[in-house]
Amino acid sequence: MGNVLQLLLAGLATGAIYALAAAGFALLWQTARTINFAQGEFVMLPAFFVLAGTEWLGLPLGLAILLALVLALLVLGLLFKRAIVDPLLPQGVLPVVIATIAVGILLKESVKEFYSAEAQPFPSLVAGGTLHLAGAVLSLQDIAVLLVAGLAILAMQLFLTRTRLGRMMQATAQNPEVALVLGIPTRRMVLYTFLLNAALVTLASILISPVYLAKFDNGETLGLIAFIAAIVGGFNQIRGAIAGGFLVGVVDNFGAAYLSSDYRTGILLLLLIAVILLRPHGLWGRAEERTV
Amino acid sequence: MRRRELLSAIALLALAAPSLQAAETVRIADVIELSGNGATVGNMWKNAVEMAVEEINAAGGILGRSIEITHFDTQSNPGVSRAAVQKALDLDPYVVLGPIYSSSTKVNMQLTRQAGVPQIVGSEASVITEMGNPFIFRTSLSQAASMPKLANYIRDGIGAKSVAVLWVNNDFGRGGRDAFVAEMEKRGIKVVADISSEVGQSDFAADVVKIKQAAPDAAFVYLHEEESARFLREARKQGLDVPLIGETTLLNQKVIELAGEAANGVRGHVGLSADAPLPSIAAFRDKFVARYDTTPDHNAIKGYLAVYTVKEITERIGGFDRKAFADALHCTTITLEQEPGILIETSWDDKGDVDRVSFLAEVVDGKQKIVDTLPPLGVTCN
């Protein structure tokens, strides 16, 4: 029982990070018809912004994280939208998809070239330690990750559903033409979505790097798993993508522990295939609907 | 007329210049993991190789010829490593150095064998020297040599009656796991969990829980450096309370740096260590730190002594004959008196396997501490 609880917590903590990245996938798809195959590299990069801040500029960790957030908003939000998505989107979805693959390679190789090809230790925001509960030894770091990511997801959901700005973004996602007629500045709403995605990946990066270490190729696995999570949960529903993230995190851990650690990625891919076959719009998605 | 003769002479000289230059150098190719999962270990090796080459060149080279070193990146990928060795052989090198990853060595060593070029590798999988290749040589102990020493330590030092084994599922990990399990069986120690993991694996939560479930007296961790660090961080995170035992890849300096305080308490056997209680190793360590501002690991020592092995053996045979080099490096010993750059007296057997003293170590306060020195096993030559 103790081990099950422990696996569940570890799975939910990792799943919460996948959920942040998967939510970003869904956000960009809903508002800008952009499938961002560089999402994994987007999660990888902010950790290096933080390391550059602490090691090159000598900033304290808090300031370095703030700097990383600003840089991520500028590079992964504003610049990505203006330089890649805006010019290519009128050509259709496929050119954007290919361009995001290229962006992913560019980011990965740039970090390798200008920072390091080697894994880097990354400071943890939470001190280590364990909590003994019902026969399980629970990691305080896992609990903190789950709390922080969970609060961020909750705040995002409240923002999207309870604020005027969030509802304007919803309207832009559901029907941009009508939203424009109603006086919603849709272009700005789309930009906000990109900025929100940049903030999500920054948080994911800061939460995952202390355990995974910061490395230029971390995005390969993260991007794949976040993409699977978004599809499994429902690409056209932020809530679906978030639930998909948690589900994938838990399935991955339980699959590796009780079925096979050799085929842990295979287990996720089987889940993906089953969902595509049985419920193509995802477990929590809805057919023919666009909403954030 | 005189002007035309002068121009002809200059043109001839220009044409002859490259061959004159070539006559003064000896080309060595270094095929190594500069990116991918093995970048951590490969860059240590490469930096030490560069350092040794510069030292030798500054002291007059090998038999008066400067070493011209060219590095090739295997990207830690066996397929790419094979292409890299082919590319290296196109340069007609005297010797090929590297790679470290056993999976890569296994697929590219046939190329150097066919070309008759000696290859000095950092790989440890037993299988590498069991294929009858007369051109392959190690720089570190093979798994077959180090696992008995480690098994004795687990039985006598730890007093374990049961162990869990966590290994990386490639040639290196599988070879180590097989050799370790065989040694455990010989000593009557029960393997209660046998867990494989993937190269580049990031999440070790499930593996830690599996070890906890098995409740062994000790856990043997046989992963590459980055994965070792990730595992140690996860083990610390989940409060895994089992002695963690490993080989050089668990106790090396890079793992300690990456894992931070999670590495404290890790114990095991190391074939080579920058913390070895030997003046030659200490001097090397100081030079390396002064030059690169980082502590060398065992891969750096391997790369450094590989270059000095080339120097010593070449000087022994008195020329740059690859076949004679390979013959001379079998069943031989290089002592510190003969070549100080070898850092630690090393012998090679008739298969290219290495034998030398090795060490028991543990990580204390973020530093590897050598607690005992184990004697060589003794070289066998038929």
Side-chain angles (χ1 to χ4, degrees):
Chain A
M1 181 61 195
N3 289 328
V4 172
L5 202 60
Q6 220 164 295
L7 271 176
L8 184 67
L9 177 67
L12 286 174
T14 323
I17 298 167
Y18 296 152
L20 293 172
F25 257 124
L27 268 176
L28 296 193
W29 170 247
Q30 289 302 94
T31 52
R33 292 277 134 182
T34 301
I35 302 175
N36 181 18
F37 277 111
Q39 188 79 346
E41 280 70 30
F42 275 33
V43 177
M44 170 276 295
L45 191 63
F48 284 93
F49 286 154
V50 174
L51 290 177
T54 54
E55 289 179 20
W56 293 354
L57 305 177
L59 297 175
L61 183 61
L63 268 183
I65 289 175
L66 204 62
L67 175 73
L69 178 64
V70 173
L71 286 174
L73 291 173
L74 288 174
V75 178
L76 306 177
L78 187 66
L79 186 65
F80 175 57
K81 180 178 181 294
R82 293 273 159 84
I84 309 288
V85 180
D86 284 352
L88 287 174
L89 203 55
Q91 317 299 323
V93 173
L94 200 58
V96 178
V97 167
I98 293 167
T100 61
I101 294 171
V103 168
I105 296 170
L106 178 73
L107 293 179
K108 199 167 69 171
E109 294 302 315
S110 301
V111 169
K112 189 168 113 183
E113 186 63 32
F114 297 111
Y115 200 93
S116 174
E118 297 179 31
Q120 306 293 320
F122 191 87
S124 173
L125 295 177
V126 189
T130 52
L131 180 73
H132 293 257
L133 186 76
V137 184
L138 303 178
S139 155
L140 287 179
Q141 206 175 331
D142 279 347
I143 294 170
V145 166
L146 188 56
L147 274 177
V148 172
L151 282 175
I153 289 166
L154 187 69
M156 182 180 71
Q157 283 296 88
L158 289 175
F159 167 72
L160 290 174
T161 53
R162 300 283 171 86
T163 65
R164 185 179 156 79
L165 189 59
R167 282 199 292 270
M168 281 158 74
M169 288 167 73
Q170 294 262 28
T172 307
Q174 283 170 13
N175 195 326
E177 289 81 15
V178 174
L180 193 61
V181 169
L182 290 172
I184 294 171
T186 53
R187 286 171 66 93
R188 206 191 311 156
M189 293 304 117
V190 174
L191 173 64
Y192 288 162
T193 318
F194 278 77
L195 296 179
L196 188 55
N197 180 50
L200 289 176
V201 293
T202 304
L203 183 60
S205 189
I206 288 159
L207 293 177
I208 207 158
S209 299
V211 178
Y212 282 20
L213 306 173
K215 196 173 177 197
F216 75 97
D217 61 359
N218 276 0
E220 290 169 12
T221 317
L222 285 171
L224 176 70
I225 296 183
F227 187 65
I228 292 174
I231 299 273
V232 165
F235 219 90
N236 63 358
Q237 279 277 335
I238 299 293
R239 275 167 293 183
I242 291 166
F246 282 110
L247 180 71
V248 162
V250 172
V251 168
D252 183 39
N253 266 300
F254 277 91
Y258 294 112
L259 293 174
S260 164
S261 52
D262 288 340
Y263 297 105
R264 62 190 304 168
T265 313
I267 295 165
L268 292 183
L269 290 172
L270 280 177
L271 175 69
L272 176 71
I273 292 167
V275 168
I276 289 172
L277 286 175
L278 303 173
R279 206 173 154 81
H281 44 277
L283 293 175
W284 293 276
R286 290 182 200 157
E288 301 300 319
E289 186 184 330
R290 294 180 68 187
T291 176
V292 293
Chain B
M1 192 64 186
R2 285 170 66 89
R3 196 175 163 197
R4 190 182 292 172
E5 280 169 1
L6 186 67
L7 284 172
S8 305
I10 291 170
L12 272 173
L13 198 66
L15 284 170
S19 57
L20 281 175
Q21 193 185 3
E24 292 167 354
T25 63
V26 54
R27 193 185 293 274
I28 294 178
D30 180 31
V31 181
I32 200 71
E33 292 80 3
L34 299 178
S35 63
N37 294 315
T40 305
V41 296
N43 282 297
M44 278 282 176
W45 168 287
K46 182 205 164 206
N47 288 342
V49 164
E50 290 269 351
M51 199 166 98
V53 166
E54 277 186 28
E55 284 172 8
I56 292 170
N57 285 347
I62 303 174
L63 298 177
R65 286 162 68 164
S66 293
I67 300 171
E68 194 181 332
I69 189 90
T70 313
H71 303 284
F72 297 86
D73 183 10
T74 69
Q75 298 173 22
S76 312
N77 176 319
V80 176
S81 86
R82 194 177 158 89
V85 166
Q86 188 56 64
K87 220 166 140 187
L89 290 173
D90 290 345
L91 294 178
D92 195 26
Y94 173 51
V95 173
V96 169
L97 305 181
I100 293 172
Y101 271 27
S102 300
S103 314
S104 294
T105 303
K106 200 175 151 191
V107 298
N108 66 44
M109 61 191 257
Q110 292 307 323
L111 295 174
T112 49
R113 183 182 189 173
Q114 283 160 13
V117 176
Q119 185 176 4
I120 304 177
V121 300
S123 310
E124 295 180 5
S126 300
V127 67
I128 292 192
T129 46
E130 287 167 358
M131 296 160 88
N133 184 342
F135 290 96
I136 199 82
F137 301 93
R138 291 188 202 275
T139 46
S140 54
L141 297 180
S142 78
Q143 292 161 338
S146 53
M147 290 307 167
K149 294 181 175 185
L150 186 70
N152 286 341
Y153 174 62
I154 288 176
R155 182 191 57 194
D156 306 328
I158 306 287
K161 301 271 184 269
S162 64
V163 289
V165 188
L166 172 63
W167 49 284
V168 57
N169 194 0
N170 61 9
D171 285 316
F172 161 78
R174 207 174 302 113
R177 179 253 170 218
D178 292 348
F180 179 79
V181 170
E183 294 299 330
M184 289 295 101
E185 280 169 7
K186 279 184 204 166
R187 289 161 183 78
I189 298 171
K190 203 174 167 196
V191 177
V192 289
D194 191 359
I195 309 160
S196 72
S197 68
E198 292 306 305
V199 177
Q201 185 170 313
S202 307
D203 192 340
F204 284 91
D207 308 82
V208 171
V209 169
K210 276 182 174 177
I211 294 174
K212 275 187 178 177
Q213 270 175 336
D217 294 335
F220 173 58
V221 182
Y222 202 62
L223 309 170
H224 292 301
E225 281 80 351
E226 283 176 17
E227 291 88 327
S228 291
R230 290 185 186 121
F231 167 78
L232 290 175
R233 281 181 170 239
E234 186 65 42
R236 168 60 62 96
K237 207 175 83 174
Q238 293 199 33
L240 180 65
D241 189 20
V242 167
L244 298 175
I245 313 297
E247 252 289 325
T248 318
T249 50
L250 185 69
L251 288 131
N252 94 25
Q253 201 54 46
K254 196 71 199 177
V255 176
I256 297 170
E257 185 189 318
L258 290 174
E261 62 176 43
N264 285 340
V266 166
R267 288 175 266 178
H269 171 254
V270 291
L272 287 168
S273 167
D275 296 303
L278 299 169
S280 54
I281 297 277
F284 164 76
R285 180 193 164 104
D286 292 346
K287 270 191 295 187
F288 194 93
V289 171
R291 185 179 166 128
Y292 296 112
D293 195 26
T294 184
T295 310
D297 72 355
H298 65 290
N299 295 297
I301 300 174
K302 287 196 266 185
Y304 187 81
L305 66 84
V307 183
Y308 275 98
T309 302
V310 175
K311 176 177 179 281
E312 170 63 17
I313 297 298
T314 307
E315 286 172 355
R316 280 187 195 178
I317 60 176
F320 293 89
D321 182 331
R322 296 180 183 106
K323 175 80 173 58
F325 180 97
D327 290 342
L329 192 47
H330 283 124
C331 299
T332 194
T333 297
I334 302 178
T335 64
L336 280 170
E337 291 72 35
Q338 289 165 332
E339 175 48 71
I342 200 74
L343 298 180
I344 183 166
E345 183 173 310
T346 304
S347 302
W348 283 264
D349 68 4
D350 52 355
K351 295 189 296 181
D353 273 329
V354 147
D355 190 27
R356 58 164 79 94
V357 296
S358 57
F359 311 94
L360 289 178
E362 62 181 90
V363 180
V364 181
D365 295 332
K367 284 190 178 136
Q368 191 190 85
K369 188 179 157 200
I370 301 293
V371 292
D372 200 2
T373 302
L374 305 176
L377 290 173
V379 162
T380 50
C381 277
N382 295 317

